[in-house]
Amino acid sequence: MAYFDAASAAPLHPVARQALLASLDEGWADPARLYREGRRARLLLDAAREAMAECVGSRPDELVFTPSGTLAVHSGVAGALAGRRRAGRHLIVSAVEHSSVLHAAEAHEADGGSLTQVGVDRAGAVDPAAYAAALREDTALACLQSANHEVGTEQPVTEVAEACRAAGVPLLVDAAQSLGWGRVEGDWSLLTGSAHKWGGPSGVGLLAVRKGVRFAPQGPGDERESGRAPGFENLPAIVAAAASLRAVRAEAAAEAARLRELTERIRARVPALVPDVEVVGDPARRLPGVVTFSCLYVDGETLLHELDRAGFSVSSGSSCTSSTLTPSHVLKAMGVLSEGNVRVSLPPGTVAEDVERFLEVLPGTVAAVREKLGAPAATETVRTAGPDLVVDALGRRCPIPVIELAKVIGDVPVGGTVRVLSDDEAARLDIPAWCEMRGQEYVGEEQAERGTAYLVRRMS
């Protein structure tokens, strides 16, 4: 079995396993106590904090450990907003932030704060000028990930941090996906991370708050972790997290070069092996081991199940794989194809043979899924007056509306239109993406008696 979902959780690093087992014997006591066992635990905790701070690029007393990366984000956002309440209640985030950031932003907005979401280009990157333009006198905090968890695109943190610093606004960086590869450059103010992303144990997050940043921890007070992360520290996991981060950093340069070659192999060969595929994300400024592509006319959930049966663990941002039937907010913000989406994220140590086997299996797997969907129950197609067609895809889910559009586009003359009726949210993203890929014109959408009508004009 080839595990290709390291962006969700990296396999436990051998150094993390060794450190975890060793610290279970040495680090079980309360590090706040003065007796021998407590002092021993405190030494382990202090050493882990110093090692982690060195990797992050902060002072040890600026960094605290939290029970998860999500809690680190929530605590960081809430504490920074509360600390700068006198400045205002305006928050800036990018449209492709991790859900933990977006959920914190939603909570802030529900509490009466104001929110600006900065859009991204088709590669998934923000424009630093757009962040600068979003800054206001009442802006309390700005948030920007270091690299995107779904498509791997690296963000211009240094440039955005400069704009925020000039405006006197702190920048919180969610660095969960990139910390294993190196420090986050730029003059950031707050930074969060999660150990299971770099091969540490789950249940360990980190929050770094630079000296001088106004910060007011929210919730009931606690004497641990500078009052910023309540509860007894999971010391064995913290020690293992710090040890594994140092270990992966020592291997990062060589491993990054090797994984970049493997993901570039996937990026280049998948479109040649599989027709009607869109590779998404920045081709150059991206994480070493992440590559994402979307396949037309494919049910994402079925494709993932078939790849799993073939021995490959991958993930997807396709609406077909979620209970909400809505596409990934990242793919939606980028304006790229979402159906049949596959994210391959290679863990350190991935061998070239596994990648080659994936490239051998993928074309037949996609073809088999497309064949299953190629003859669905007949969708009602009604000719209207003139060179136009109406495709009724109401009640049909991704990727059926696009499949039916593709079937009938040739039935109208050049200049004629096809009106696709759909109540599937994914159609709003996938029909325009299909038009761009197939050289047709997406005219727009109109409200229909049921669902939405998407208008496509045949150009070739």
Side-chain angles (χ1 to χ4, degrees):
M1 189 75 180
Y3 180 75
F4 286 176
D5 195 22
S8 293
L12 191 67
H13 195 282
V15 168
R17 184 183 301 277
Q18 294 168 5
L20 182 65
L21 294 175
S23 57
L24 284 172
D25 292 329
E26 297 293 327
W28 51 267
D30 187 347
R33 302 307 175 199
L34 299 179
Y35 42 71
R36 181 187 309 167
E37 294 86 354
R39 294 197 305 272
R40 185 184 300 128
R42 169 57 65 178
L43 287 174
L44 288 173
L45 180 60
D46 289 346
R49 196 185 313 278
E50 290 177 6
M52 193 78 80
E54 181 183 1
C55 291
V56 168
S58 70
R59 292 170 35 160
D61 58 352
E62 294 174 333
L63 187 146
V64 300
F65 296 105
T66 65
S68 69
T70 295
L71 186 58
V73 167
H74 291 174
S75 300
V77 171
L81 287 171
R84 283 180 44 83
R85 194 177 184 101
R86 289 186 178 180
R89 301 203 63 200
H90 179 231
L91 172 65
I92 303 173
V93 301
S94 83
V96 294
E97 293 299 311
H98 187 269
S99 58
S100 60
V101 175
L102 297 182
H103 291 160
E106 290 170 3
H108 170 67
E109 197 171 23
D111 192 42
S114 58
L115 175 67
T116 297
Q117 274 200 15
V118 178
V120 297
D121 59 21
R122 283 186 65 83
V126 302
D127 180 356
Y131 253 80
L135 292 165
R136 309 186 323 208
E137 288 188 4
D138 64 336
T139 302
L141 177 67
C143 300
L144 180 64
Q145 60 193 194
S146 56
N148 187 261
H149 55 288
E150 288 196 30
V151 300
T153 297
E154 295 177 340
Q155 300 292 355
V157 172
T158 299
E159 294 88 339
V160 171
E162 288 176 359
C164 290
R165 180 67 64 179
V169 174
L171 176 68
L172 183 150
V173 177
D174 168 21
Q177 288 294 344
S178 69
L179 270 182
W181 300 109
R183 289 184 180 181
V184 176
E185 300 299 328
D187 197 8
W188 49 265
S189 301
L190 303 95
L191 183 141
T192 63
S194 190
H196 73 281
K197 300 290 189 179
W198 65 68
S202 59
V204 179
L206 66 90
L207 169 63
V209 182
R210 297 283 198 198
K211 293 295 182 182
V213 175
R214 292 186 177 275
F215 191 88
Q218 299 301 286
D222 195 293
E223 70 277 6
R224 297 181 185 275
E225 293 300 299
S226 304
R228 295 175 181 174
F232 197 97
E233 296 93 344
N234 184 351
L235 187 53
I238 288 172
V239 170
S244 60
L245 184 56
R246 294 186 68 174
V248 298
R249 284 286 187 85
E251 307 159 353
E255 195 62 21
R258 201 177 66 82
L259 291 185
R260 283 190 190 281
E261 191 279 327
L262 293 178
T263 52
E264 190 57 42
R265 193 181 303 184
I266 297 173
R267 288 181 65 90
R269 290 176 57 186
V270 164
L273 293 169
V274 183
D276 297 317
V277 163
E278 181 178 14
V279 180
V280 300
D282 195 288
R285 290 191 56 169
R286 57 187 174 86
L287 292 170
V290 178
V291 56
T292 305
F293 55 89
S294 300
C295 309
L296 274 175
Y297 320 132
V298 169
D299 178 336
E301 184 172 9
T302 302
L303 179 57
L304 262 60
H305 283 316
E306 292 301 317
L307 287 172
D308 180 51
R309 290 176 59 187
F312 297 96
S313 302
V314 298
S315 65
S316 172
S318 172
S319 63
C320 314
T321 62
S322 70
S323 59
T324 61
L325 297 176
T326 58
S328 149
H329 71 278
V330 172
L331 301 177
K332 188 174 181 180
M334 293 167 62
V336 297
L337 182 69
S338 75
E339 65 185 46
N341 179 258
V342 174
R343 180 187 69 183
V344 174
S345 48
L346 307 178
T350 299
V351 296
E353 289 77 10
D354 282 345
V355 171
E356 287 298 323
R357 189 165 61 88
F358 175 77
L359 292 171
E360 291 175 3
V361 166
L362 182 67
T365 304
V366 173
V369 174
R370 284 175 171 166
E371 184 177 1
K372 289 180 182 177
L373 294 170
T379 298
E380 183 182 359
T381 303
V382 182
R383 279 204 174 274
T384 62
D388 299 326
L389 283 176
V390 175
V391 173
D392 185 350
L394 292 167
R396 315 299 299 281
R397 298 305 177 193
C398 162
I400 300 302
V402 175
I403 289 177
E404 298 303 325
L405 168 62
K407 285 181 177 179
V408 303
I409 190 69
D411 293 344
V412 299
V414 173
T417 61
V418 176
R419 183 184 302 262
V420 183
L421 300 177
S422 176
D423 52 5
D424 181 7
E425 179 64 24
R428 179 168 283 110
L429 185 62
D430 291 343
I431 289 177
W434 177 88
C435 291
E436 183 164 333
M437 294 175 68
R438 307 298 289 180
Q440 310 300 342
E441 180 186 357
Y442 178 64
V443 179
E445 64 178 71
E446 299 175 350
Q447 284 301 118
E449 184 175 345
R450 288 180 56 208
T452 303
Y454 300 92
L455 277 65
V456 175
R457 178 174 291 114
R458 183 183 176 188
M459 303 302 293
S460 61

